Amino acid sequence: MCETTVYLVVPCYNEEEMLPETFRQLTQTLDDLIRAGKAGEGSRMLFVDDGSSDRTWALIAEAVQNNPRICGVKLAHNRGHQNALLAGLMTAKERADCAISLDADLQDDIGVLGEFLDKFHNGCDIVYGVRSNRATDTAFKRNTAGGFYSLMKRLGVETISNHADYRLMSRRALEALSEYDEVNLFLRGIVPQIGYPHDVVYYERKERMAGESKYPLKKMIRFAMEGITSFSVKPLKLISNFGIFISVLSVAGLLYALISYLSGVTVPGWTAIVSAIFFLGGIQLLCLGVVGTYVGKIYSEVKQRPRYRIETAQLQ
Ligand code: UDP
Ligand code: MG
C-alpha cells in the first residue's frame, strides 16, 4: 500500500459554475490514484478560495461536509492566483509528502496526474507540467506566450517554456519555496531556482468548461512584467546602455551643428529641435518608468506585508 500523502492544491476565484464538476472529476481521479497505489489514503484535495465574491466558499464548505477527502482554506481577500496558490502550498507543506497545483477549471489534463506521481516515486522533487501544444489558444496568445518565454530566456531568467503552474513539488521543495519571502510572486521563476531533481510531464491543455477566464489580457501583461522585473535587472542595464548610445549620438549631432554653423549653412532648424525634444523626452520618460517600476517593487518588498491571510480553514 502506498504511504505517500498527496495534496492537490486548487486556487479558486469565483468558480461557482465550475466547482461541482471539479469536485466530481478530481474525486474520481484521486480515488483512482489511491486504488492504483500511487497515492496514499491520507491524500486530499485542498481548495483555496481566493476571496471570491460568489458562492465559491459555500460550495467548498459544503463539499468538505460531504467528502472526507476535500478540505478548504478561505483567504480574507482576493490576493491573486499566485498568492492563493502559495497559501495552499504552504498549508499542504505541513501535511503532505508532495503537493500538485492545478487550476479549478481543469484545463490542465488531470489524466496525467499518475505520471507526475510516477516521477515523484522515482526520486524527482519537482515535476513540471508542460503543454505539448497550444492548439486551444488563440493565435494571439500563442505568439505572445512564445515571445514572452524567449524574452525571459534572453534576459537571463530560467523558466520552463510552456509550463504554467501545473506542477508537483515534494515536501522538501515546498520547504525550500517557503524560504523565498518575496511579495512580488512569480512562482514560475522561483521554482526552477530551487534546483532539486526535476522532470517534465507533457499534456494537452483543454478549453475552459464553464465560467470565464480570470486572466484577461491586462492581467496577463501585468503578470509578464512581474516575471521580468522580479527576476532580471537587465532592463535597467539596457536603458543605461541606450543612454550611452544616445549621448554618443548627441555628441555627433553637436559636432554636425558646429560644423554647419562654422561653414555658414545654418537653417532655421525648428523641426530638428522640436523632434529632438519630443524624442528624448519620450525616451527619458520611458526609462524613468522602468526605473520607477523597480523602485516600486523595492517599496512593496521592504514593507514585508503578509502575502495572504487565511480567514477560515477546514482541514481534515
Ligand atoms: N484565480 C485565483 N485568483 C485570481 C484569479 C484566478 O485564484 O485572482 C484562479 C482561478 O480560479 C483558476 C486559476 O487561478 O483556478 C487560473 O485562472 P483562469 O483559469 O481564469 O486563467 P486562464 O486559464 O484563463 O489563464
Ligand atoms: Mg483557466
Side-chain angles (χ1 to χ4, degrees), residues 15 103-108 205-208 212-215:
E15 296 284 5
D103 290 350
D105 54 14
L106 300 186
Q107 281 185 285
D108 305 314
R205 190 169 155 103
K206 300 179 228 160
E207 308 229 11
R208 196 179 238 279
E212 48 193 50
S213 171
K214 276 84 196 169
Y215 265 98

Side-chain angles (χ1 to χ4, degrees), residues 10-15 48-52 75 78-85 102-108 141 164 188 205-206 208 212-216 219-220:
V10 189
C12 312
Y13 178 58
N14 292 346
E15 296 284 5
V48 182
D49 173 21
D50 186 15
S52 300
L75 301 191
N78 176 230
R79 300 293 292 128
H81 174 242
Q82 298 286 291
N83 287 307
L85 190 53
L102 61 154
D103 290 350
D105 54 14
L106 300 186
Q107 281 185 285
D108 305 314
K141 176 124 188 208
R188 284 167 227 188
R205 190 169 155 103
K206 300 179 228 160
R208 196 179 238 279
E212 48 193 50
S213 171
K214 276 84 196 169
Y215 265 98
K219 260 197 191 171
M220 225 155 62

Side-chain angles (χ1 to χ4, degrees), residues 11 17 99 124 126 150 238 253 266 272 277 302:
E17 288 163 74
C124 283
I126 303 172
S150 64
L238 281 178
T266 38
I277 291 175
V302 290

Side-chain angles (χ1 to χ4, degrees), residues 174-188:
L174 292 171
E175 264 154 19
L177 177 65
S178 71
E179 288 166 16
Y180 291 77
D181 290 326
E182 53 218 83
V183 177
N184 298 289
L185 257 198
F186 187 71
L187 291 170
R188 284 167 227 188

